[in-house]
Structure formats: structure tokens, C-alpha cells
Amino acid sequence: MPSREERGYELNEVSWWTKWVDETVWVSKNCYAVFSDTFKDEYFYNRGGFLGAERVPEDAIEAVEREFTKRKRSTPCILVEEGRPWDRLRASLSSRGYTVGDRM
């Protein structure tokens, strides 16, 4: 389970991004998708993300993809942290054809 500090950091990050996008959709308590009508082709303004690897529902990736399909957007960019807790989620994304596009 992520620490309160980690969860707080992630919530702060999502809160910051909501000021730059037109819509934030929470597909679960710990999984979100953000959308920008102004920057439709920019991944950072149109992407999915998670608050913690340990609480990612099994159908979270499908839920993010459905939100993108509803808006007739291309396959989403999904941000995933580095490190061991995220290995299972990265493997699930990889099995669906997602690739690493960038690292920070």
C-alpha cells in the first residue's frame, strides 16, 4: 500500500494537471484519465495515470481505454512509475502492446 506521502504527492500531481486540461475522469479511486481539447495530440495533456500500483483494479487499463474511445482519441499514453511495485502494471501494459515512450 502506498504511503500517505506518496499518495499525497500523486494527488498533488493530478490536481496540478487538472488546471491545464479540460476534463479529468476518475475511472476508479486510484486511476484517472485527463483530456485537453486544446492540446488533443499532446500526451501529457491526454493520458491515464495511477495513484499507486498496489491499488490498480484489474480492469483499470480497459477503463482508461474506454474513456479515450468515447472521445474518439487515439490509444492513450499511460504514465507508470519506475520501480518494483509497478512491475506487474508495466507487464500488463506491455502485454497489451504498450511500449515505453519516455522516461523522466
Side-chain angles (χ1 to χ4, degrees):
M1 186 165 177
S3 72
R4 285 185 183 192
E5 184 177 300
E6 289 171 2
R7 185 172 170 81
Y9 172 81
E10 293 297 332
L11 281 170
N12 184 56
E13 181 82 5
V14 175
S15 176
W16 187 88
W17 278 104
T18 62
K19 295 172 183 9
W20 296 93
V21 298
D22 297 304
E23 184 179 13
T24 302
V25 177
W26 288 92
V27 298
S28 76
K29 290 171 75 174
N30 296 298
C31 180
Y32 64 90
V34 294
F35 301 95
S36 170
D37 292 331
T38 305
F39 302 104
K40 285 184 180 179
D41 298 325
E42 298 289 333
Y43 287 128
F44 279 105
Y45 298 99
N46 299 278
R47 61 180 166 85
F50 307 94
L51 297 184
E54 296 83 359
R55 293 183 173 187
V56 173
E58 289 295 320
D59 63 347
I61 298 167
E62 293 95 345
V64 170
E65 291 171 340
R66 279 192 303 273
E67 293 298 327
F68 273 74
T69 300
K70 276 195 238 179
R71 290 160 184 82
K72 296 181 170 88
R73 304 284 175 97
S74 61
T75 303
C77 169
I78 298 180
L79 296 184
V80 179
E81 298 285 331
E82 290 284 339
R84 188 173 190 164
W86 297 90
D87 288 346
R88 184 171 167 216
L89 179 57
R90 279 195 307 276
S92 178
L93 287 164
S94 179
S95 72
R96 296 174 161 283
Y98 286 85
T99 60
V100 174
D102 196 0
R103 289 199 166 121
M104 288 183 162

